[in-house]
Amino acid sequence: MKNFEYLEPRSVQEACQLLRQHGEEARIFAGGTSLSIVMKQGFFQPKYLVNIKKIPDLTGIRWDPKRGLTLGALVTHRELETSPLIQETFPILSQIEEDVANIRVRVMGTVGGNLAYAEPLTDLPQILIALEASIRVAGPDGDRTMSLEELFVDYYETSLRPDEILTEVLVPTPPPRTGIEYIRFSSSSVIDKPCLGTAVRFTLEEDLETVRTARVVLGCVAPTPLRARQAEALLEGKRYEVQRVKEAAAFASRECKPVSDLRGSEAYKREMVRVLVTRAAPRAFEKARAFRGQV
Amino acid sequence: MSRFITLSVNEVSRRVEVEPRETLLEVIRDHLGLTGAKLGCDIQVCGACTLLVSGKPVSSCSFLAVDADGCEVTSIEGLSCNGRLHRLQEAFIETGGLQCGFCTPGFILTAKALLDEQPHPSEEQIKKYMAGNLCRCGCYQEILDAIQKVAGRRAVQNG
Ligand SMILES: Cc1cc2nc3c(=O)[nH]c(=O)nc-3n(C[C@H](O)[C@H](O)[C@H](O)COP(=O)(O)OP(=O)(O)OC[C@H]3O[C@@H](n4cnc5c(N)ncnc54)[C@H](O)[C@@H]3O)c2cc1C
């Protein structure tokens, strides 16, 4: 690793100023689980590392029945996994975290880093996008809010400016009769990064048969997390039916853009998208019918 | 650019001069001479470099030493007490939970963190928690036996 100057701002404003001052030569440092690897490999050689872990405003998990869930950027994978508040309100997040990386990466790695790194092989973005999460971003000139979907631009590329910090993730309270299922599929060892991650979410009409909102979000099969919009459109506003799910899964399989790599060939991944959407949808549907205020 | 950091290493306060680019593993091994933690994969997959920072397992190969300033660090050397091995160390010997020993400090520290958090884990919980530590000699069953032995013994002790 090349040497660098290590900066420890105590507030978001101070951090943004440092980032503005040092421009491309600076880099935000949170848990360091991703950054340390590329720095050791020499892909990144920042002159200034801005450690944001001393900023108290970026921590904490909060829940408000009206606003929903707020996750500070520094919330770790392990906190999501073990937080009683998450287990009560969004158990899906805690369940999936059990399978993310390994215990050491979960202890250090943060939600903010997981999203802002925009690595394609991750789990959280699919679930959070399916739940219509948004993010708050702070810059030297103030804050802005955007949908999480808008964050992702390309492989390892986001719409954040170099002097901006992702400060919070907001997950709205799910509407009544909502259910979500996430299937994380790893084609080598269980602790490997996912080969595919498929989230399906339904919100049903009062008849508990008609799909009001459908979200089919695919991970690891495109440069960014991908909403299978044709699949969603096919499912929305109609009765839930097995045959329609099969057709939607076939759409999703065509809509994604996987590349062949050591975790599977392009054809294999397309087929697995079809399989996983078909498998996740009935579970999401049943969960929506049994909705008791949590997802 | 170097600076002084203060660490509590195995309950002894140590002041060390480090450069920002130095990892906690380098400081523990090269500055402090504690060579139990090993450099393995260097990408947080194998667990050979595991140390406990504030009681939690971390990959010290990827942890900046400056980031540990003010923290409590536990290495395998800190587990024995007055020349007596820790219960987990004894159990690993009894069950044959090691052959070459390269991964053992990481396994034992991870197991300690697990049992500190959850004194009576189920087999499933042990397997999940320990899944990120790799043993090339393949002593997984014996390692599981060792951890269960200690967890079981605690269960008896606690009535
Ligand atoms: C062995 C291994 C296995 C993994 N397996 C999985 C897996 O199964 N599923 C999964 O989802 N992920 C997995 N990951 C990825 C892991 O989740 C991320 O490494 C982690 O969440 C990144 O968080 P961090 O705090 O360590 O980020 P850092 O490494 O500190 O930063 C990563 C990047 O994000 C930027 N950044 C960090 N925080 C902010 C912020 N608040 N605002 C703006 N920019 C910011 C940094 O500048 C940097 O570019 C794995 C990683 C490893 C090393």
Side-chain angles (χ1 to χ4, degrees), chain A residues 36 108, chain B residues 22-25 53 58-65 67-68:
Chain A
S36 64
M108 289 307 294
Chain B
E22 283 183 286
T23 64
L24 183 57
L25 181 65
V53 173
V58 303
S59 293
S60 64
C61 72
S62 302
F63 196 112
L64 294 180
D67 209 12

Side-chain angles (χ1 to χ4, degrees), chain A residues 19 26-38 44 49-50 52-53 58 72-77 96-97 99-102 104-106 108-119 121-126 136-137 151 158 160-161 164-168 182 184 190-194, chain B residues 43-46 62:
Chain A
L19 291 169
R27 199 85 196 183
I28 295 173
F29 179 83
T33 58
S34 293
L35 207 50
S36 64
I37 295 178
V38 281
F44 266 153
L49 213 53
V50 181
I52 56 171
K53 287 200 294 301
L58 297 179
L74 289 176
V75 168
T76 62
H77 292 291
I96 190 58
E97 281 291 356
D99 296 323
V100 166
N102 58 49
R104 301 178 306 280
V105 172
R106 293 204 297 278
M108 289 307 294
T110 66
V111 170
N114 185 276
L115 303 176
Y117 196 49
E119 177 186 354
L121 302 181
T122 54
D123 294 290
L124 283 181
Q126 292 84 269
R136 278 189 81 74
V137 174
L151 173 71
T158 68
L160 297 182
R161 290 191 292 268
E164 284 184 320
I165 299 179
L166 192 165
T167 55
E168 280 178 351
Y182 180 71
R184 179 186 194 277
V190 287
I191 55 159
D192 190 23
K193 291 182 178 175
Chain B
I43 52 168
Q44 306 156 73
V45 170
C46 77
S62 302

Side-chain angles (χ1 to χ4, degrees), chain A residues 34 77 99-101 105 113-115 117-126 152 154-156 182 184-188 191-197 218-226 257-264 269:
Chain A
S34 293
H77 292 291
D99 296 323
V100 166
V105 172
N114 185 276
L115 303 176
Y117 196 49
E119 177 186 354
L121 302 181
T122 54
D123 294 290
L124 283 181
Q126 292 84 269
F152 300 101
D154 205 340
Y155 288 113
Y156 303 96
Y182 180 71
R184 179 186 194 277
F185 175 67
S186 179
S187 51
S188 50
I191 55 159
D192 190 23
K193 291 182 178 175
C195 161
L196 282 181
L218 310 172
C220 323
V221 286
T224 65
L226 185 80
K257 309 176 190 80
V259 289
S260 298
D261 61 15
L262 61 125
R263 291 181 177 82
K269 290 181 186 178

Side-chain angles (χ1 to χ4, degrees), chain A residues 112-179:
Chain A
N114 185 276
L115 303 176
Y117 196 49
E119 177 186 354
L121 302 181
T122 54
D123 294 290
L124 283 181
Q126 292 84 269
I127 305 173
L128 293 173
I129 290 173
L131 293 169
E132 297 179 47
S134 56
I135 55 170
R136 278 189 81 74
V137 174
D141 308 319
D143 287 13
R144 60 188 179 120
T145 303
M146 62 170 137
S147 76
L148 176 58
E149 235 184 306
E150 291 171 272
L151 173 71
F152 300 101
V153 174
D154 205 340
Y155 288 113
Y156 303 96
E157 207 183 307
T158 68
S159 55
L160 297 182
R161 290 191 292 268
D163 55 6
E164 284 184 320
I165 299 179
L166 192 165
T167 55
E168 280 178 351
V169 181
L170 309 162
V171 196
T173 307
R177 302 176 300 280
T178 294

